[in-house]
Amino acid sequence: MDSHPKRKPQFVKIDSLRPGTNGHNIIVKVVDFKMVVSRSRSDGSAIRIAECTVGDDTAVITLTARNNQVDLMVVGKPLVLRNAKIDMFKGSMRLAVDKWGLIQETTDEPVDFEPKNDFDMSAVEYELVPALEE
């Protein structure tokens, strides 16, 4: 095993997120919560998907929470998103945390900000433009 000490995670702000990027560590607060899908599969397991607005002191963005992640989405609750990625949905950015990431309640990081609701990163529409070959 490596005996190197673990590095502290580098946290980013929501306004610095860009389409197609991943590996983001972000401290956010839940602003809004809306259940989109809640149904059972034929094998008895449940599928739950919620769209949540989360934000920090720079902006807000829509987070797609799946299954067990939905239980953590309580309005006003501060969360730490580790290894989050940006997915594109109908031309707008959505934040997601897949099986390689983690959503947890913040314990050791101070959260003394109010989300900036007037700058919604998911409201910005992006268009795929082909690169010009020279």
Side-chain angles (χ1 to χ4, degrees), residues 47-98:
I47 298 174
R48 295 184 302 160
I49 300 175
E51 287 186 349
C52 312
T53 303
V54 297
D56 62 12
D57 55 348
T58 63
V60 294
I61 192 166
T62 302
L63 168 73
T64 304
R66 299 177 183 279
N67 300 324
N68 294 342
Q69 297 172 349
V70 173
D71 299 331
L72 293 170
M73 300 299 144
V74 176
V75 174
K77 181 187 250 184
L79 299 172
V80 176
L81 310 180
R82 297 193 188 273
N83 202 20
K85 65 178 184 170
I86 298 294
D87 288 333
M88 297 303 291
F89 178 73
K90 294 183 180 177
S92 65
M93 294 194 305
R94 299 290 171 101
L95 194 60
V97 178
D98 59 13

Side-chain angles (χ1 to χ4, degrees), residues 22 25 33 38 49 54 67 87 91-92 99 102 106 115 125:
N22 58 18
N25 296 314
F33 172 85
S38 181
I49 300 175
V54 297
N67 300 324
D87 288 333
S92 65
K99 66 180 180 178
L102 180 66
T106 178
E125 192 168 321

